[in-house]
Amino acid sequence: MERKTVVRARIFRFAVKVVLILLALSLPLQSSADERRWGTASLVVVIERQAGSVLIIDSSRHELLGRISGLGNLTHAVVKFSPDARYAYVIGREAQVSKIDLLTLKLVKQVDGGKLGIGGVISQDGKYVVLSNYVPGEVRILDADTLELVKSIPALYTDASEKDGKELPSRVVGLVDAPGNLLIFSLMDANSIWVVDAGNKEFPVIRKFPDVGKMPYDALISPDGRYYLAGFLDSNWMGLLDTWRLERVAPILAEQGKGPEVPLWKIPHLKGWALTGRLAFLPALKREVALVYATLDWTPLAPVPISGTALYTVVRPDGRQVWVDIIGKNGDLIDVIDVDSMKVVKTLNPGPGATHPQFTPKGEAAYISLMDGGKVVVYDTATFQLLKEFPADHPSGIFFANRAHKFGM
Amino acid sequence: MERKTVVRARIFRFAVKVVLILLALSLPLQSSADERRWGTASLVVVIERQAGSVLIIDSSRHELLGRISGLGNLTHAVVKFSPDARYAYVIGREAQVSKIDLLTLKLVKQVDGGKLGIGGVISQDGKYVVLSNYVPGEVRILDADTLELVKSIPALYTDASEKDGKELPSRVVGLVDAPGNLLIFSLMDANSIWVVDAGNKEFPVIRKFPDVGKMPYDALISPDGRYYLAGFLDSNWMGLLDTWRLERVAPILAEQGKGPEVPLWKIPHLKGWALTGRLAFLPALKREVALVYATLDWTPLAPVPISGTALYTVVRPDGRQVWVDIIGKNGDLIDVIDVDSMKVVKTLNPGPGATHPQFTPKGEAAYISLMDGGKVVVYDTATFQLLKEFPADHPSGIFFANRAHKFGM
């Protein structure tokens, strides 16, 4: 009996040990998982262009969460978000699409979406990742869950100089989603704007507007999704499409040809970044000004002189400031335009290769990449004080997750 | 020896069993936790007003995630979100504040924030939950992390009829956050609008505008955070404060007194829900119209006749439709105004007590509570087809998490 008792006691002690060891193993895992949770609504994805990686930052606390590598050629890259901001889709130069889970910070899927890409967008209904490709010249539609190919829409046109009427593929630029589950994009080599119905499983091209202007290079859609505005490299106007009508692309004065010309450092980006309620601020081609329009009737107003040529003009979410990313001469500078006085009231010098200013959702802070300075810096937009720095490897594009809810972004 | 072996074998089997049971217990939990992850950017919180509970729905998949109970008196309730949309703050009739973790669906903190409340807001910097209370008449500032009291700002005024100059507390309404980390609110019993600097740890009242109109009942702030607009129960105008100037509250015509008067079923809600870029749609007091203004100069335009009196007028995110929640007579109906033609183009009859239409972030779907129909219904806003129903116990307010990034919401 005594022996039996001893054995039982041993069994008991052994079992207790097993339980304790298992608990010890599982508990820390659980609690660290708890501590490392975050909401996804205001996360930031920063492109590290040379390393082919991205940083994920929580902008609500200005805290680095992690890095995801192996995303291919990111020398040009855009990031799109699922409607719930759980997933980020990183689209690289070679149209490689990498789907990242922003809760686990893991790369969950990766596909080749073409050979050479320039951008992409999520359809209004959130079901598709849509790519605008240079090579092949097409719009490619992928399932947002699986990244499987759903449809390719070749951007074919007939060049007038071709005698045999042979169709050529055009590069596609300025792709946006629009209300009514539309997709709108410009054909760079075909001087055209096309509209696709993404609510129809055949994805028909429901409108083709030819001869809208020479060599569209980018486009934007107004925050309410109503107006699509294309810029042209070789025409002295911009093209405006009212998506409530889909009737014509109206030329509006761009004033591009006026004033002393400077070199074209890089094609400026338009993507919806500088529309306040009543004013639009756009980077000018080859001029050292920001172009200004009254959005009520798209009449041009007096341009605002800036420190160089602009790559991006980005409006603070409350519309009171526009931050201008200077490229080429004075490329390290960021000009801040005060919308009330229509003047540059502050010029920041954040460091080498400062680029791509982006705001927190309510605009109290701005993130800027120092492409040649190895950092992402965060400014208080009221005081212009430096709030925080993150080490980063040649950072470029900065993408806030609240783009999930913005047309064309 | 044989006996020892048997005992050892038993110990071994027992240990194996313990391990298997523990694995069996832990694995399903872990995998279900994996499957049950979601992004927080487009979650929806629905108030169940009588049960004192809320439903959490994932609007990106129209999927019910869970219910959280024990939130007190929710016969009037608002929900506010942390900037990352990880947390929802449910503020009830008795100013009870319940902080809910939207990743774990757990109530993590709960405090009494007063005796009788009407609303609340998160400061622009995300640091504070701010309450507008009826009793005591005050603005109360809580730490958003801990819900600890940071400051109470008594809304005291001197009634002209009081001979001894005694100060009385006023009910506080129309509380919003504004750019520059401001808080703006109206004193219902003092006919005043006050402005507080929430970026200063003393929370000073930096402006007091007296005699702005008789009995302010609610207010809104324009989506860009520039204009604060207050409605008055006993004055025939609205009050407009330009937050870039903070100089005066300008009266703008409300047209409230015109036309046949109908009973005041309930005080309409203004909260920023019907401002398109160029037009504002507001519910009218005691009239069967939606009021319309040109936001450029706040001139009144022709009101749009509707099926009854409006409690809410809610603009679809693309500004092309305004959905009007009718209260009292025809209270089950929702009118849809087409902004292009300025007419009601569709009247929905979703069911008993239909109220509080709210849109998904890009507006392709609308959620509506059937307060007396035990359901939340979801419509496709392009086709008006019913997409989904969720059983719900007397549902009322519907709050999308993208409010986290909107001023005053």
Side-chain angles (χ1 to χ4, degrees), chain A residues 90-301:
Chain A
V90 182
I91 304 169
R93 192 79 193 98
E94 289 156 13
Q96 192 172 48
V97 184
S98 304
K99 182 177 178 179
I100 293 165
D101 185 335
L102 293 173
L103 291 175
T104 63
L105 302 187
K106 289 198 174 119
L107 175 62
V108 290
K109 282 209 172 69
Q110 196 169 53
V111 300
D112 283 330
K115 285 202 167 47
L116 202 56
I118 193 65
V121 80
I122 306 290
S123 57
Q124 185 192 15
D125 62 11
K127 288 184 184 158
Y128 307 107
V129 180
V130 187
L131 308 177
S132 51
N133 285 336
Y134 274 11
V135 181
E138 61 169 359
V139 163
R140 192 178 289 207
I141 294 162
L142 309 178
D143 182 286
D145 282 336
T146 64
L147 295 189
E148 277 165 17
L149 178 68
V150 176
K151 172 104 178 178
S152 165
I153 302 169
L156 296 175
Y157 72 104
T158 309
D159 187 7
S161 66
E162 298 273 330
K163 295 268 156 63
D164 55 0
K166 197 183 142 200
E167 287 189 316
L168 298 173
S170 167
R171 289 170 287 179
V172 175
V173 296
L175 169 69
V176 303
D177 67 311
N181 222 2
L182 301 179
L183 300 169
I184 310 179
F185 50 93
S186 298
L187 282 65
M188 194 174 199
D189 306 300
N191 304 333
S192 299
I193 292 173
W194 288 9
V195 182
V196 163
D197 180 2
N200 178 325
K201 296 209 167 169
E202 301 297 319
F203 300 95
V205 180
I206 59 169
R207 290 285 190 291
K208 291 184 180 182
F209 300 98
D211 302 320
V212 291
K214 283 184 188 157
M215 220 171 174
Y217 66 87
D218 197 8
L220 62 79
I221 190 156
S222 57
D224 64 1
R226 177 162 182 180
Y227 295 103
Y228 179 81
L229 185 67
F232 305 107
L233 281 181
D234 294 333
S235 292
N236 194 24
W237 64 82
M238 293 184 147
L240 184 72
L241 174 65
D242 180 349
T243 70
W244 288 15
R245 309 263 177 269
L246 292 178
E247 281 166 5
R248 61 189 281 260
V249 176
I252 62 166
L253 285 180
E255 289 203 334
Q256 294 284 24
K258 290 187 183 175
E261 282 218 350
V262 295
L264 179 61
W265 302 99
K266 203 170 173 184
I267 294 181
H269 290 57
L270 299 180
K271 286 269 177 206
W273 286 336
L275 282 165
T276 76
R278 289 157 197 181
L279 298 171
F281 293 80
L282 297 176
L285 278 179
K286 305 186 189 181
R287 291 185 63 197
E288 298 187 344
V289 295
L291 300 176
V292 187
Y293 297 85
T295 55
L296 190 66
D297 53 6
W298 292 97
T299 50
L301 305 177

Side-chain angles (χ1 to χ4, degrees), chain B residues 310-325:
Chain B
L311 182 60
Y312 300 101
T313 47
V314 192
V315 69
R316 201 172 69 173
D318 66 343
R320 196 165 180 175
Q321 292 178 353
V322 174
W323 289 38
V324 182
D325 179 11

Side-chain angles (χ1 to χ4, degrees), chain A residues 62 358-367 378-381 387 400:
Chain A
H62 303 310
Q358 290 284 289
F359 296 94
T360 50
K362 280 190 173 174
E364 73 282 4
Y367 280 57
V378 183
Y379 283 92
D380 182 314
T381 66
L387 293 175
F400 276 79

Side-chain angles (χ1 to χ4, degrees), chain B residues 10-40:
Chain B
R10 269 192 202 155
I11 293 175
F12 181 74
R13 282 200 299 272
F14 180 79
V16 167
K17 260 188 213 167
V18 167
V19 169
L20 287 177
I21 288 167
L22 283 167
L23 282 174
L25 282 172
S26 71
L27 277 183
L29 277 176
Q30 222 176 314
S31 85
S32 84
D34 274 350
E35 284 160 23
R36 297 267 296 163
R37 284 197 178 112
W38 46 79
T40 59

Side-chain angles (χ1 to χ4, degrees), chain A residues 7 245 278 295 340 362, chain B residues 7 177 245 278 295 340 362:
Chain A
V7 169
R245 309 263 177 269
R278 289 157 197 181
T295 55
D340 201 14
K362 280 190 173 174
Chain B
V7 168
D177 67 312
R245 308 263 177 269
R278 289 156 195 182
T295 54
D340 200 13
K362 279 189 175 175

